[in-house]
């Protein structure tokens, strides 16, 4: 790490320390989600004022005009403080940068971007549907021409934070008579428009940050279109690729391994300290080796970026490997506690509570690309293995058997 | 040192891979399996000609003055090609021990010869199933070594060994000229490692200077383990790529077998293990002089052993019947996985060492 970047990290860390008592993990304990969101909006605003919002975005959109290196440095530090930034992750991660790039009206886009950076407005991303998520080009929600605009009819699902969102970006089918990925168009929508209904989905872990979103004859103007008609698939892929350099967590966004070691020192197995038990020691050692490897991959990617090089594709391993291991380690941590491991605090933080980590781990293995999808990507893009058999290739969308 | 390879290090990696690829000789490797007590002499000559024996030795001793990062890159290539002998690592271990714990005379006598490859070294710490005994059964007194070090890699061919022994009150490190020492050859599933029992019988030996000999031995073992981890990464990557290439060639049910997820996902999983192991190995090599040597070496060792074991195992499985034939030679990787898993301490040993470090206990 060069001195300038190290200085940036130090500065970011001091700022985060200065706001920790107001916005950190302890300040959030016991808050309802609404209270936590309100705190999050204030945090986002403080971040904007301090120059840590939109770090790698252009200055004329309220950003700082720095590189993605500074952004990843800040986010890596920020992750340690448990601040309420989760509500803005998707908003600022994908839809808003896309608006900046493809928004047809620059003044409008600029106003939205700055409000989003300050936490005043939130954007969601309306891609997945009941009939498919991984098969992005297979979506069915219709956009039909209506005068100089469009009418949207259909349903989206798994839309994170739609219930708090002011706007969203959406991919819709404008032509069902051509191949599936050629009949899609990309728009932004007003989530408060008539005909938009948001219904929460309670997830296995008990929380409800994702939603079903219904579109019933929702009017969209043609100037809300962000791709050529029929050119939406490319923008959708760009949306998913835009966050190429993000802060990663070799703990799979679950508890740190130190917490497991501490637990193993506290409890006993058949009257002997668990930390002396070979099974536990093996689990600790294997997890450490795996996480240390992922950390080194991340550290090398940072060095490559700083040297102006493109990081290697091995960075894509993090989510696949880390979340899976977090799931198994959380199971073991619960077992280690014996019957007392059954106690559960529904509002516990995933990063410090094994039960919360374990209950929510399945979501982590599916959201943002399932394990199986990631394995396909590694096999096909990195190793050059053949694509799966795809019977819908070259077939007009409306002739694909449903 | 950075974990990002610089141009020179990159060149060493590419060049050693090129040379080893050009001289790949599967027939020779297969013959060696059935030839107890032999190694690939042409392979060893190549290592010497290329200066790989000198890479990580100090310049004043005739070495190139580079470090474990560079030797590690050679080891990756060596592992991919399945080494014809274990000497690069074992001789480095001896040179490393002499360089850190030997006196001027000992260094002057041996380091140059080890750097040129004229002499071969063996490291004899393990006894039975214990890679690093707390009270070795081999004893050292009045400048004489007695007892047996079993199954020492390179022991059959080595000219000098560094031995962990017991002097009646504590562990000591000694170096011993093997010219008059009896070696009992051991037939192995992976012949060409020169595995032999070293039988010391009042053998003249010289004390090396180490305040805590067991700790010194652990650190020597750790630096060797980092090299072996690189070798395992090379082998693991090669076995994975062989499987990948086969899956891109072989057809069944009207398509390449690589199109079946049962096949492609298994290969993708191997890629993950290889890259995690590579990152650990490189991190350990780049920080070998830092305070976390033991922790890093243990992580490198664990990840690399896991990667090579799984890659060789799955590569054979993915080939189907052809994978288990003698001639295809995938069993060369299978055999080598176990040898490398045992040399420099097994997984069980390193797991314990690592957890001792993490839990704040003494190793």
């Amino acid at each position: 790490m060069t001195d300038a970047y190290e200085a940036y990290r130090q500065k970011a860390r001091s700022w985060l320390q200065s706001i920790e008592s107001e916005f950190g993990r302890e300040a959030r304990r016991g808050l309802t989600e609404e209270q936590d969101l309100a705190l999050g909006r204030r945090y986002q605003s403080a971040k904007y004022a301090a120059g840590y919002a939109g770090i790698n975005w252009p200055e004329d959109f309220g950003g700082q005009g720095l590189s993605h290196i500074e952004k990843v440095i800040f986010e890596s530090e920020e992750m340690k403080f448990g601040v309420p930034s989760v509500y803005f992750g998707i908003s600022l991660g994908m839809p808003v940068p896309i608006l900046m790039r493809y928004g047809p009206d620059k003044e409008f886009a600029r106003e939205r971007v700055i409000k989003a950076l300050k936490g005043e407005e939130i954007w969601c991303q309306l891609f997945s549907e009941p009939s498919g998520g991984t098969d992005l080009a297979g979506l069915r929600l219709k956009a039909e021409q209506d005068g100089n605009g469009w009418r949207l009819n259909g349903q989206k699902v798994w839309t994170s934070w739609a219930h708090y969102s002011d706007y969203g970006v959406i991919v819709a089918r404008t032509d069902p008579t051509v191949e599936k990925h050629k009949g899609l168009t990309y728009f932004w929508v007003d989530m408060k428009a008539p005909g938009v209904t948001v219904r929460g989905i309670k997830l296995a872990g008990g929380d409800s940050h994702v939603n079903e979103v219904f579109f019933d004859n929702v009017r969209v103007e043609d100037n809300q279109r962000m791709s050529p008609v029929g050119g939406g698939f490319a923008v959708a892929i760009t949306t998913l690729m835009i966050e190429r350099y993000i802060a990663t967590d070799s703990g799979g966004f679950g508890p740190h391994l130190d917490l497991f070691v501490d637990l193993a020192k506290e409890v006993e197995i058949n009257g002997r300290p668990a930390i002396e038990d070979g099974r536990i020691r093996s689990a600790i050692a294997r997890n450490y080796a795996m996480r240390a490897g992922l950390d080194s991959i991340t550290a090398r990617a940072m060095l490559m970026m700083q040297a102006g090089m493109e990081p290697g594709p091995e960075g894509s391993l993090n989510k696949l490997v880390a979340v899976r291991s977090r799931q198994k380690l959380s199971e073991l941590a619960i077992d280690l506690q014996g019957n007392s491991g059954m106690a559960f605090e529904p509002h516990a933080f995933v990063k410090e509570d094994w039960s919360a980590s374990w209950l929510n781990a399945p979501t982590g293995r599916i959201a943002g690309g399932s394990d199986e999808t990631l394995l396909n990507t590694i096999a096909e893009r990195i190793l050059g293995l053949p694509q799966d058999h795809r019977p819908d290739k070259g077939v007009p969308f409306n002739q694909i058997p449903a | 040192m950075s974990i990002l390879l610089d141009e020179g290090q990159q060149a060493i990696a590419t060049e050693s891979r090129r040379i080893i690829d050009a001289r790949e000789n599967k027939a020779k490797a297969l013959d060696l399996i059935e030839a107890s007590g032999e190694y690939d002499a042409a392979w060893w000559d190549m290592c010497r000609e290329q200066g790989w024996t000198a890479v990580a030795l100090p310049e004043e001793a005739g070495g190139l003055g580079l470090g474990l990062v560079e030797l590690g890159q050679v080891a990756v290539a060596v592992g991919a090609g399945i080494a014809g002998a274990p000497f690069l690592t074992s001789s480095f271990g001896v040179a490393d021990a002499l360089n850190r714990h030997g006196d001027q005379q000992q260094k002057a006598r041996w380091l140059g010869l080890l750097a040129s490859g004229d002499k071969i070294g063996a490291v004899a710490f393990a006894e039975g199933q214990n890679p690093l005994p707390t009270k070795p059964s081999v004893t050292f007194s009045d400048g004489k070594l007695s007892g047996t070090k079993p199954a020492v890699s390179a022991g059959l061919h080595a000219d000098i060994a560094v031995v962990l022994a017991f002097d009646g009150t504590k562990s000591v490190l000694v170096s011993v000229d093997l010219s008059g020492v009896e070696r009992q050859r051991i037939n192995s599933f992976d012949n060409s490692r020169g595995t032999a029992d070293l039988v010391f019988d009042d053998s003249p030996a010289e004390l090396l200077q180490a305040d805590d000999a067991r700790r010194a031995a652990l650190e020597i073992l750790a630096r060797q383990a980092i090299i072996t981890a690189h070798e395992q990464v090379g082998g693991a990557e090669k076995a994975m790529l062989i499987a990948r290439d086969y899956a891109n060639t072989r057809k069944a049910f009207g398509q390449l077998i690589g199109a079946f997820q049962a096949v492609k996902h298994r290969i993708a999983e191997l890629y993950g293990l290889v890259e995690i192991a590579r990152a650990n190995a490189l991190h350990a090599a780049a920080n070998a002089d830092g305070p976390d040597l033991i922790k890093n070496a243990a992580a490198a060792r664990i990840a690399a052993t896991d990667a090579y074991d799984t890659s060789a195992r799955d590569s054979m499985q993915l080939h189907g019947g052809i994978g288990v034939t003698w001639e295809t030679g995938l069993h060369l990787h299978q055999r080598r996985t176990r040898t490398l898993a045992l040399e420099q301490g097994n997984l069980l040993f390193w797991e314990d060492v690592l957890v001792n470090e993490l839990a704040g206990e003494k190793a």
Side-chain angles (χ1 to χ4, degrees):
Chain A
M1 173 116 337
T2 63
D3 292 347
Y5 292 124
E6 189 47 36
Y8 187 84
R9 182 185 295 278
Q10 293 297 342
K11 203 171 124 240
R13 191 178 297 163
S14 330
W15 181 75
L16 284 159
Q17 280 161 349
S18 76
I19 55 87
E20 186 177 12
S21 64
E22 193 179 353
F23 299 113
R25 196 171 280 121
E26 293 311 314
R28 296 173 63 196
R29 218 174 278 285
L31 297 186
T32 64
E33 189 171 280
E34 281 69 21
Q35 291 168 330
D36 195 47
L37 170 63
L39 187 72
R41 290 187 193 274
R42 290 201 296 281
Y43 170 66
Q44 202 57 42
S45 161
K47 230 168 121 171
Y48 183 84
Y52 291 114
I55 289 170
N56 59 333
W57 293 5
E59 289 171 71
D60 63 336
F61 279 96
Q64 298 297 317
L66 299 171
S67 74
H68 46 262
I69 300 170
E70 283 91 349
K71 169 184 170 276
V72 177
I73 289 173
F74 180 82
E75 287 176 354
S76 307
E77 291 301 317
E78 186 189 41
M79 204 168 3
K80 300 169 190 162
F81 288 83
V83 291
S85 55
V86 63
Y87 310 101
F88 313 96
I90 288 176
S91 175
L92 300 175
M94 289 163 287
V96 175
I98 284 289
L99 179 75
M100 236 177 345
R101 193 183 301 185
Y102 296 103
D105 176 347
K106 188 174 172 187
E107 261 326 292
F108 172 81
R110 193 174 173 277
E111 198 182 322
R112 298 279 76 70
V113 170
I114 291 172
K115 281 186 183 290
L117 278 178
K118 290 178 173 172
E120 292 168 14
E121 291 176 355
I122 296 175
W123 285 63
C124 60
Q125 176 176 303
L126 300 141
F127 281 15
S128 288
E129 295 187 7
S131 63
T134 301
D135 183 8
L136 177 60
L139 51 85
R140 296 174 178 279
L141 183 137
K142 276 190 295 193
E144 289 164 308
Q145 234 155 3
D146 174 35
N148 59 353
W150 303 79
R151 290 275 171 194
L152 304 186
N153 280 290
Q155 185 194 344
K156 295 287 176 179
V157 74
W158 312 128
T159 316
S160 295
W161 312 116
H163 50 310
Y164 298 135
S165 288
D166 302 281
Y167 301 94
V169 290
I170 190 166
V171 187
R173 185 155 307 277
T174 43
D175 185 356
T177 67
V178 293
E179 271 180 71
K180 61 177 186 177
H181 61 276
K182 291 180 178 162
L184 301 171
T185 305
Y186 199 109
F187 302 91
W188 65 263
V189 291
D190 180 351
M191 291 295 286
K192 313 290 182 203
V196 178
T197 310
V198 176
R199 192 188 295 161
I201 300 172
K202 189 168 180 176
L203 291 177
D207 69 346
S208 312
H209 73 273
V210 294
N211 302 276
E212 297 177 287
V213 184
F214 300 90
F215 289 82
D216 184 12
N217 249 351
V218 175
R219 168 82 188 179
V220 172
E221 301 307 322
D222 195 54
N223 64 12
Q224 291 174 238
R225 186 162 52 79
M226 291 165 72
S227 77
V229 176
F233 187 70
V235 181
I237 292 297
T238 308
T239 311
L240 298 177
M241 298 285 287
I242 209 159
E243 282 272 273
R244 290 183 68 185
Y245 309 109
I246 53 171
T248 55
D249 176 10
S250 64
F253 303 96
H256 197 274
L257 191 61
D258 288 351
L259 291 183
F260 189 88
V261 173
D262 290 345
L263 174 65
K265 284 173 161 177
E266 284 163 21
V267 301
E268 294 190 334
I269 300 173
N270 292 328
R272 293 192 321 261
I275 190 69
E276 291 172 15
D277 186 285
R279 294 160 295 186
I280 301 305
R281 295 173 76 81
S282 186
I284 291 171
R286 297 297 185 105
N287 273 281
Y288 179 85
M290 184 276 294
R291 291 173 183 212
L294 292 176
D295 286 339
S296 291
I297 286 174
T298 303
R300 186 173 53 197
M302 288 295 291
L303 289 170
M304 294 187 84
M305 286 193 276
Q306 288 169 23
M309 294 184 264
E310 187 77 4
E314 63 276 3
S316 64
L317 286 168
N318 199 89
K319 178 184 179 291
L320 171 70
V321 178
V323 181
R324 229 166 27 180
S325 85
R326 159 191 151 193
Q327 188 172 31
K328 291 180 78 170
L329 192 68
S330 301
E331 286 167 3
L332 185 58
I334 293 171
D335 286 4
L336 257 186
Q337 299 170 63
N339 285 3
S340 52
M342 289 192 244
F344 179 58
E345 161 57 55
H347 299 294
F349 293 114
V350 168
K351 276 197 82 66
E352 56 182 26
D353 183 273
W354 293 107
S355 299
S357 165
W358 166 70
L359 270 175
N360 291 293
T363 313
R365 290 185 57 189
I366 292 164
S370 67
D371 288 5
E372 292 71 21
T373 307
L374 299 176
L375 286 169
N376 260 12
T377 307
I378 291 168
E380 293 171 16
R381 301 263 175 81
I382 302 177
L383 298 172
L385 284 157
Q387 273 199 346
D388 289 3
H389 179 49
R390 292 185 176 173
D392 60 0
K393 230 176 195 168
V395 179
F397 182 75
N398 58 9
Q399 287 172 37
I400 298 168
Chain B
M1 193 180 283
S2 173
I3 52 168
L4 194 59
L5 297 181
D6 64 28
E7 266 177 46
Q9 293 163 337
Q10 199 67 250
I12 290 173
T14 321
E15 186 62 8
S16 48
R17 177 60 63 91
R18 189 186 66 75
I19 287 160
I20 283 172
D21 283 352
R23 302 204 187 179
E24 189 179 319
N25 188 345
K26 191 159 67 183
K28 174 77 183 176
L30 288 171
D31 285 348
L32 279 171
I33 293 291
E34 294 181 307
S36 177
E38 290 181 24
Y39 65 91
D40 186 343
W43 179 89
W44 180 236
D45 287 343
M46 171 187 75
C47 294
R48 296 177 58 190
E49 282 163 17
Q50 295 302 322
W52 294 339
T53 47
V55 167
L57 269 57
E59 285 177 272
E60 60 272 23
L64 297 177
L66 301 169
L68 285 185
V69 172
E70 290 81 2
L71 184 52
Q73 291 311 304
V74 173
V76 170
V78 161
I82 305 182
F87 310 149
L88 276 179
T89 309
S90 66
S91 287
F92 168 82
V94 169
D96 183 45
L98 293 178
N99 194 35
R100 287 167 197 271
H101 305 289
D103 60 27
Q104 282 314 317
Q105 207 185 341
Q106 288 161 333
K107 289 190 213 180
R109 179 171 168 210
W110 289 106
L111 288 183
L113 294 169
L114 291 166
S116 64
D118 289 323
K119 297 290 181 189
I120 290 167
V123 173
F125 297 160
E127 288 182 4
Q129 88 289 1
N130 193 341
L132 205 61
T134 41
K135 190 186 169 194
S137 71
V138 170
T139 56
F140 176 73
S141 72
D142 298 329
K144 302 281 176 64
L145 205 56
S146 290
T148 299
K149 283 287 182 184
V152 178
S153 287
L156 191 61
H157 313 291
D159 302 285
I160 175 178
V162 169
V163 177
L164 185 65
F166 194 69
D167 75 352
T169 50
K170 63 180 187 307
S171 291
V172 289
L173 273 182
V174 301
S175 77
V176 49
D177 185 328
L178 291 175
S179 47
V181 171
E182 182 192 343
R183 304 103 188 276
Q184 291 174 348
R185 189 177 78 195
I186 290 175
N187 191 50
S188 163
F189 49 73
D190 188 16
N191 283 318
S192 84
R193 305 302 283 176
T195 313
D197 292 350
L198 299 183
V199 185
F200 303 109
D201 182 13
D202 275 342
S203 312
E206 296 175 7
L207 189 66
L208 299 178
Q209 295 307 314
D211 292 339
D212 180 344
R214 192 170 181 277
R215 182 72 193 183
L218 178 62
E219 292 182 2
I220 293 163
L221 204 57
R223 284 183 286 269
Q224 284 190 294
I226 293 170
I227 302 168
T228 302
H230 281 87
E231 193 173 339
Q232 289 171 305
V233 167
E237 183 179 32
K238 184 65 181 283
M240 172 194 70
L241 291 176
I242 292 171
R244 190 272 310 266
D245 292 345
Y246 186 69
N248 269 335
T249 317
R250 169 80 180 182
K251 286 186 173 175
F253 302 103
Q255 64 177 5
L256 292 169
I257 62 168
F260 294 109
Q261 291 193 348
V263 172
K264 72 201 277 194
H265 285 189
R266 195 171 276 219
I267 300 172
E269 296 277 11
L270 296 180
Y271 170 82
L273 293 175
V274 169
E275 290 308 321
I276 286 169
R278 189 199 310 279
N280 270 323
L282 187 54
H283 177 76
N287 295 283
D289 295 324
D292 292 330
L293 165 67
I294 302 299
K295 206 159 73 172
N296 293 338
R301 187 72 175 129
I302 292 165
T305 303
D306 190 25
Y308 198 14
D309 284 1
T310 314
S311 188
R313 191 194 300 134
D314 287 359
S315 188
M316 286 180 98
Q317 177 68 20
L318 289 164
H319 277 74
I322 194 76
V324 295
T325 61
W326 180 267
E327 198 185 343
T328 303
L330 283 171
H331 62 101
L332 290 167
H333 284 289
Q334 183 193 9
R335 289 163 190 270
R336 187 52 51 83
T337 60
R338 280 285 63 56
T339 322
L340 294 183
L342 293 175
E343 290 174 358
Q344 278 66 262
N346 59 19
L347 210 52
L348 303 165
F349 170 79
W350 284 110
E351 285 184 354
D352 258 352
V353 167
L354 176 56
V355 177
N356 286 344
E357 295 284 322
L358 294 175
E361 298 162 24
K362 199 178 178 313

